[in-house]
Amino acid sequence: MLQSLTTPEEQQRSRLALASRLGGFAAGASNLEELFRALYDEIARVMDATVLFFAVYDDASQTVEVVRQMDRGVEHPGGTFPLGQGITSEAIRTRTPRLVRRWSAEGPVRLLYGTETGELVAPESAVVVPVISGDRVLGVLSAQSYEPEAYDEADLFTLSAIAAQAASTIKRLHATEQMAVEYERHAFELEAILASMTDALLIVDERGAIVRLNRAARQLLCLDSASLVFGQPLERQRLEQWPATAREIAAALVPVVEALREGSSVAEEEIELRSGQRRILSVNASVLGSVKAGLQGGVIVFRDTTGQRELERLREDIFAMAWHDLRTPITVIKGQAEILLRRLSHNDRDRKALKASAASIVSYTDRMADLVSTLFDISSLEAGLLSITPWPMELASLVRDVTDGIRSTARRRLQVRAGERIVGEWDERRIRQVLMNLLSNALKYSPEGSTVTVSATADERGATVCVSDEGIGLDAAELAQLFRRGYRTESARRLKGAGLGLYFANGIVAAHGGRMWAESGGHGYGSAFYFTLPLQDERSDADLVEDRA
Ligand code: ADP
């Protein structure tokens, strides 16, 4: 019963007006406090709202959280209390509205609400309605007065109608809150994904302006925040301040961004960077947008495919080399086998000629086997699968053995300085391959009659092998590139070779934990190739003994 609305007609009219307002009630409320104020405005229009109390209820923790309270026109902050035995808790527990006409007559009432000060209020009458949605109690709404008999059944009904509207607003707010939490979680997840991506990623808006880039993109572009202006289209960036590689990428991206602006995606486009080290990037770009929101820009992802391309090129090289180098032995073997067959079918008794054909077949088959195993080794090295099986071995005798093996065909003076025993744990078959490569190069790139010297020494750090010659020599630029795959010096081109031997030998030495290098006084002054192999650490031997003790 609202004091100012005297006649039942007036009251009826105001309630009808309320009913028509309820449809749009609290539509603009974006949080619970705003909802409280909307509730207060609405309730104060139709009934005594000297005291208004609005709380939300959390069933899981059984707590009542007072959003705000109004007392005689003054708004008080809320607080939280556990579900108890009072009238508010009862309305929540029973899900039933309650009308209190004369509180003092119904028993002593002193209500302690969750105000900050814990203020005690003593109203005389009240209407309390639970805010219900489906079978869940979302909260409670209570209007109270210091006057007795301030409310009747009609007020209870009105407040229940308002509470029903409040329920849908609370549900909407919960959903938005939930969405905000979900959104935040998604944003965190996305952030983590972007940061951990090895592919570089750029996001541009509908104008083509860069709005976001991940760490990989920053690294790829070699950009710090100073030189990248977020929210600016590529063409309006201060490109002159960008590093050369970044400028090159930006230039290549202009048509990609243009395509995105027009709403088309880009798949697997390749960009070849020539400034600095040669690199190949593969670019994919997808349009961002929806039917509702329209075109929103796009996501550009780049991947550095240089390694992959190199590997493909290596495979092509290996295939070409295999074809080139295997063709001769195959032709010779086939030719000799045909000759042999013809001679045998004609009952040719020239044993010398028969033997020569057979020997030629054996020798070319060996060459083929060597070649196939080299190709296999190189591809294993490239794939990171080069296997090393260390076993105790003696290096000086291996050096002597390999040198003695080629002495008869060397046509150069071969000197060996490897007196001392050098025992270590290395892969003998692989070290033999390294020695063979260095020795055959020394012979290949030095004149007949000159001297090739092989030495093996050791100190506490490791063993060192040196193969030196008096051949064509190397200049500083050549020395710097010697161990690159496929590298051959200008002066070596007239001799057969593929530029793979040193690359492979260096790979073997590195896999042992050693180092390989070359020295030369320049063209015509001969070269010396060195490699080291680590010896077992003496201290770790001592530790082993201690461990066993
Ligand atoms: P290949 O000898 O088959 O070309 P390598 O990988 O063994 O391949 O050697 C790479 C290049 O290094 C050679 O082509 C040659 O230019 C240079 N090189 C290697 N050994 C010597 C050496 N002893 N003297 C001068 N140049 C050498």
Side-chain angles (χ1 to χ4, degrees):
M1 264 187 294
L2 198 62
Q3 306 301 321
S4 53
L5 301 175
T6 43
T7 67
E9 288 76 33
E10 273 177 320
Q11 287 181 14
Q12 189 63 25
R13 228 179 294 129
S14 113
R15 284 189 178 122
L16 281 172
L18 164 75
S20 72
R21 280 198 307 271
L22 278 181
F25 170 74
S30 60
N31 56 42
L32 290 170
E33 272 100 44
E34 284 178 23
L35 172 61
F36 168 79
R37 278 173 210 126
L39 283 168
Y40 179 74
D41 289 349
E42 220 35 84
I43 295 164
R45 279 197 220 204
V46 286
M47 67 182 79
D48 184 341
T50 310
V51 175
L52 186 78
F53 164 91
F54 168 50
V56 286
Y57 174 63
D58 176 41
D59 197 28
S61 58
Q62 300 225 315
T63 47
V64 182
E65 190 190 322
V66 182
V67 178
R68 300 299 274 182
Q69 305 167 81
M70 191 66 90
D71 184 9
R72 286 159 287 194
V74 181
E75 196 180 306
H76 293 282
T80 305
F81 61 89
L83 199 64
Q85 297 304 320
I87 187 168
T88 316
S89 301
E90 186 198 289
I92 292 173
R93 200 175 285 118
T94 60
R95 299 164 190 221
T96 319
R98 170 96 188 266
L99 172 64
V100 182
R101 291 181 197 271
R102 189 177 283 272
W103 224 327
S104 51
E106 290 179 24
V109 254
R110 309 234 78 189
L111 295 180
L112 174 65
Y113 292 145
T115 56
E116 273 171 359
T117 50
E119 196 184 344
L120 286 169
V121 290
E124 263 301 322
S125 53
V127 266
V128 189
V129 296
V131 178
I132 296 174
S133 166
D135 56 357
R136 273 183 67 205
V137 181
L138 301 180
V140 64
L141 189 57
S142 176
Q144 292 152 20
S145 171
Y146 292 101
E147 300 294 323
E149 307 282 350
Y151 308 102
D152 58 16
E153 296 291 340
D155 292 314
L156 194 71
F157 181 77
T158 309
L159 200 62
S160 298
I162 295 177
Q165 286 303 314
S168 62
T169 309
I170 294 173
K171 258 173 60 188
R172 174 174 62 78
L173 291 176
H174 278 343
T176 343
E177 231 171 66
Q178 186 62 30
M179 266 172 70
V181 171
E182 290 269 299
Y183 182 78
E184 205 174 334
R185 193 169 58 81
H186 280 305
F188 274 136
E189 277 175 7
L190 215 89
E191 206 62 52
I193 293 170
L194 292 191
S196 63
M197 264 175 82
T198 46
D199 288 353
L201 178 137
L202 277 180
I203 300 180
V204 294
D205 67 11
E206 72 284 2
R207 296 171 304 129
I210 299 174
V211 286
R212 169 163 230 146
L213 79 170
N214 70 351
R215 203 184 305 141
R218 199 172 273 283
Q219 275 167 4
L220 185 70
L221 289 163
C222 314
L223 285 181
D224 51 31
S225 46
S227 46
L228 176 73
V229 185
F230 280 100
Q232 283 285 355
L234 268 175
E235 63 272 13
R236 272 198 267 136
Q237 293 284 341
R238 284 187 230 114
L239 288 180
E240 69 287 350
Q241 290 178 12
W242 285 25
T245 314
R247 279 209 302 270
E248 226 185 327
I249 298 176
L253 282 186
V254 170
V256 177
V257 172
E258 203 45 52
L260 287 177
R261 263 191 205 149
E262 284 163 13
S264 11
S265 296
V266 173
E268 300 283 335
E269 200 144 290
E270 272 199 351
I271 303 179
E272 188 167 343
L273 305 180
R274 288 165 202 279
S275 66
Q277 217 180 347
R278 181 183 162 272
R279 273 154 90 193
I280 298 163
L281 303 180
S282 158
V283 182
N284 279 286
S286 322
V287 176
L288 275 181
S290 63
V291 181
K292 229 160 93 191
L295 200 61
Q296 298 283 297
V299 182
I300 306 171
V301 180
F302 324 60
R303 178 172 302 162
D304 191 335
T305 51
T306 321
Q308 200 181 320
R309 273 295 131 101
E310 289 262 300
L311 213 65
E312 280 164 18
R313 202 161 290 175
L314 171 79
R315 274 196 208 112
E316 283 162 19
D317 284 358
I318 289 180
F319 187 77
M321 196 177 88
W323 173 238
H324 177 266
D325 290 5
L326 288 175
R327 215 166 35 176
T328 318
I330 290 174
T331 316
V332 173
I333 292 169
K334 184 158 186 274
Q336 291 295 347
E338 277 168 356
I339 294 170
L340 206 57
L341 194 65
R342 217 175 307 127
R343 284 186 197 272
L344 289 172
S345 47
H346 288 116
N347 234 349
D348 188 335
R349 297 200 181 273
D350 183 352
R351 282 183 60 80
K352 218 170 140 200
L354 289 175
K355 230 172 124 191
S357 289
S360 180
I361 291 173
V362 170
S363 132
Y364 276 90
T365 311
D366 282 348
R367 256 174 81 173
M368 248 169 76
D370 279 354
L371 213 97
V372 169
S373 95
T374 307
L375 292 177
F376 179 75
D377 285 344
I378 296 280
S379 21
S380 305
L381 178 66
E382 280 293 322
L385 297 173
L386 185 75
S387 63
I388 297 288
T389 317
W391 204 253
M393 58 163 277
E394 205 279 294
L395 189 61
S397 58
L398 179 70
V399 166
R400 286 195 299 272
D401 189 44
V402 174
T403 317
D404 289 345
I406 56 169
R407 198 179 290 281
S408 59
T409 52
R411 294 202 193 117
R412 279 111 184 127
R413 224 156 63 81
L414 280 181
Q415 272 186 359
V416 181
R417 297 199 186 116
E420 243 178 273
R421 274 172 63 77
I422 306 170
V423 178
E425 285 194 10
W426 307 301
D427 187 327
E428 185 168 339
R429 184 174 74 89
R430 295 297 191 194
I431 301 300
R432 186 182 285 274
Q433 283 178 310
V434 176
L435 280 167
M436 273 301 291
N437 173 261
L438 295 185
L439 262 167
S440 60
N441 276 351
L443 300 178
K444 186 156 76 170
Y445 300 113
S446 66
E448 283 189 17
S450 62
T451 303
V452 170
T453 309
V454 190
S455 69
T457 53
D459 59 19
E460 63 283 356
R461 279 170 299 155
T464 306
V465 174
C466 172
V467 179
S468 62
D469 62 56
E470 300 170 344
I472 60 172
L474 295 150
D475 66 20
E478 292 166 346
L479 282 170
Q481 306 188 67
L482 269 185
F483 300 101
R484 277 178 43 197
R485 175 165 52 77
Y487 178 75
R488 305 201 71 209
T489 63
E490 207 51 56
S491 41
R493 301 255 161 89
R494 58 194 170 82
L495 294 157
K496 271 186 78 170
L500 292 175
L502 281 182
Y503 169 72
F504 184 57
N506 186 39
I508 293 176
V509 170
H512 277 86
R515 204 166 74 79
M516 185 177 250
W517 73 99
E519 292 173 4
S520 172
H523 287 159
Y525 288 94
S527 330
F529 283 79
Y530 295 85
F531 71 91
T532 59
L533 292 172
L535 281 168
Q536 191 110 28
D537 190 340
E538 277 165 23
R539 235 190 39 232
S540 61
D541 274 346
D543 288 347
L544 273 178
V545 175
E546 267 169 39
D547 280 352
R548 281 191 213 111

